[in-house]
Amino acid sequence: MFQQLRTNLKQSVLGQEHVIDHLLIGLLSEGHVLLEDRPGTGKTTLAKSLANTLDAKFSRIQCTADTLPTDLLGMELFNPLTGSFEQRFGPLFANIVLVDEINRTTPRTQSALLEAMGEAQVTIGDTSYTLPQHFLVIATQNPFDGQGTFPLPHAQLDRFLFKLSFTPLDRRSEKALLQGAHLQPTSLQIPLEQLNTWKEEVLAVTIEETVEDYLLDVCDALRAHRDVEIGPSPRATLALLKAAKARAWMQDRTYVTPEDIKQLASPLLAHRLVLTLEATLKMTNGRLVQQTLESLTVPTEV
């Protein structure tokens, strides 16, 4: 059934297998995803397709400079008929939430997502409310248009499991797009409760001590790197373990391998790094992660 979900998403958004696989890893490991790419690449389509296939509640938030925290969370409203305040919940109370152009809203509104993404709950007034089960944020931002934007602070970026970009379509995929290959109707609908079983199986995936030590070596090496001012947080280390287990499960394995760590390190760790000013002039965060991986001894495959 999981492979059916995977196939359905690949039919909905052509030529983006790596993004789809990483999004599904995020879904299985309860990690949020930031999609940084130009408009018109299929980001919204992908989020909607995932929600529709899983029969999940979907909401979309279009961020602008005047978007307020209450536009996301909701607010207490006075009902004159009852003479009391009633809670009206905002669009964050859904399973899959698309936060479109997240960097176009102010830091004040961006911060409204911190508690939601970190603890799956929000606080409105004096009361905390638990968000729906299987809560997943898919946020987007345009990397090319900096006018009227507010860069995400490090604390916000650390809440995202992955930061991903779409692969430019090759001619064959774009021709299929023109011919409507992505519009093929599908009746596939997987009960949202199926995620409970999948997540339990992911948690049961094991990791040998040597592979666990390799994971820690990667994070420690980045923290100690001379070109890194801020390295991966403990949250990032735990996220890498969870994601590696999800990747192993998706490949029908019951154990994590060093290759899982290597393949996930860049999209999971690069956006969490803050490089020195000198380093930013000569390399990208992703390249620094790759160089670090190349410098480490990889344990024997299990």
Side-chain angles (χ1 to χ4, degrees):
M1 190 176 292
F2 181 81
Q3 293 304 324
Q4 291 178 304
L5 168 62
R6 200 178 191 182
T7 300
N8 190 64
L9 294 179
K10 290 179 180 180
Q11 290 176 344
S12 300
V13 182
L14 303 177
Q16 305 301 334
E17 286 80 2
H18 79 291
V19 172
I20 290 168
D21 285 345
H22 283 79
L23 178 60
L24 291 176
I25 289 172
L27 179 71
L28 294 170
S29 59
E30 299 183 338
H32 310 287
V33 177
L34 176 62
L35 301 176
E36 183 179 73
D37 216 313
R38 60 198 183 283
T41 53
K43 300 184 291 294
T44 301
T45 300
L46 178 58
K48 285 184 175 180
S49 296
L50 178 62
N52 291 337
T53 306
L54 286 175
D55 195 22
K57 183 178 179 181
F58 174 80
S59 66
R60 179 179 182 273
I61 302 167
Q62 179 60 56
C63 294
T64 60
D66 59 352
T67 302
L68 299 175
T70 52
D71 294 328
L72 279 63
L73 306 178
M75 65 181 76
E76 291 181 338
L77 296 176
F78 182 74
N79 187 336
L81 297 179
T82 61
S84 61
F85 284 92
E86 296 178 355
Q87 181 61 55
R88 299 294 176 88
F89 294 112
L92 274 188
F93 286 82
N95 304 115
I96 296 176
V97 181
L98 176 65
V99 184
D100 210 5
E101 296 188 297
I102 187 174
N103 58 331
R104 289 205 173 277
T105 194
T106 61
R108 178 188 177 193
T109 301
Q110 290 176 12
S111 67
L113 291 167
L114 292 177
E115 183 183 15
M117 295 172 66
E119 304 172 42
Q121 69 173 32
V122 299
T123 301
I124 305 174
D126 297 330
T127 308
S128 294
Y129 299 92
T130 300
L131 292 169
Q133 192 179 24
H134 309 305
F135 174 70
L136 175 68
V137 170
I138 303 174
T140 74
Q141 63 178 11
N142 182 352
F144 304 114
D145 185 4
Q147 186 175 3
T149 61
F150 304 86
L152 299 183
H154 185 74
Q156 183 82 59
L157 288 172
D158 196 38
R159 260 50 172 206
F160 286 103
L161 180 70
F162 294 127
K163 181 180 178 182
L164 306 170
S165 294
F166 279 39
T167 301
L169 290 182
D170 57 29
R171 186 178 180 87
R172 180 179 179 181
S173 297
E174 195 158 14
K175 186 173 183 179
L177 182 68
L178 292 176
Q179 296 173 348
H182 67 302
L183 299 177
Q184 296 176 359
T186 177
S187 58
L188 177 65
Q189 196 165 72
I190 299 171
L192 186 63
E193 292 74 19
Q194 179 63 41
L195 273 176
N196 292 322
T197 301
W198 292 343
K199 289 181 178 180
E200 289 175 2
E201 293 174 355
V202 168
L203 287 175
V205 172
T206 61
I207 179 169
E208 294 291 335
E209 187 174 358
T210 54
V211 182
E212 189 174 66
D213 286 340
Y214 175 64
L215 185 156
L216 292 171
D217 288 343
V218 172
C219 294
D220 285 342
L222 288 171
R223 293 177 186 128
H225 199 291
R226 64 181 182 181
D227 291 326
V228 175
E229 287 189 352
I230 301 177
S233 67
R235 179 191 286 120
T237 307
L238 184 58
L240 184 53
L241 173 61
K242 291 180 177 179
K245 286 187 174 186
R247 185 178 188 272
W249 181 86
M250 285 173 56
Q251 296 189 357
D252 296 322
R253 280 185 280 108
T254 58
Y255 54 89
V256 175
T257 70
E259 189 63 23
D260 294 320
I261 308 299
K262 291 173 65 176
Q263 292 299 320
L264 295 173
S266 186
L268 193 148
L269 297 174
H271 65 282
R272 291 177 157 95
L273 305 180
V274 176
L275 306 190
T276 64
L277 178 59
E278 181 181 355
T280 59
L281 301 176
K282 61 183 180 181
M283 74 177 76
T284 63
N285 291 30
R287 181 55 189 157
L288 187 143
V289 173
Q290 289 303 316
Q291 288 180 354
T292 302
L293 290 172
E294 293 166 5
S295 70
L296 296 174
T297 300
V298 182
T300 304
E301 290 281 353
V302 296

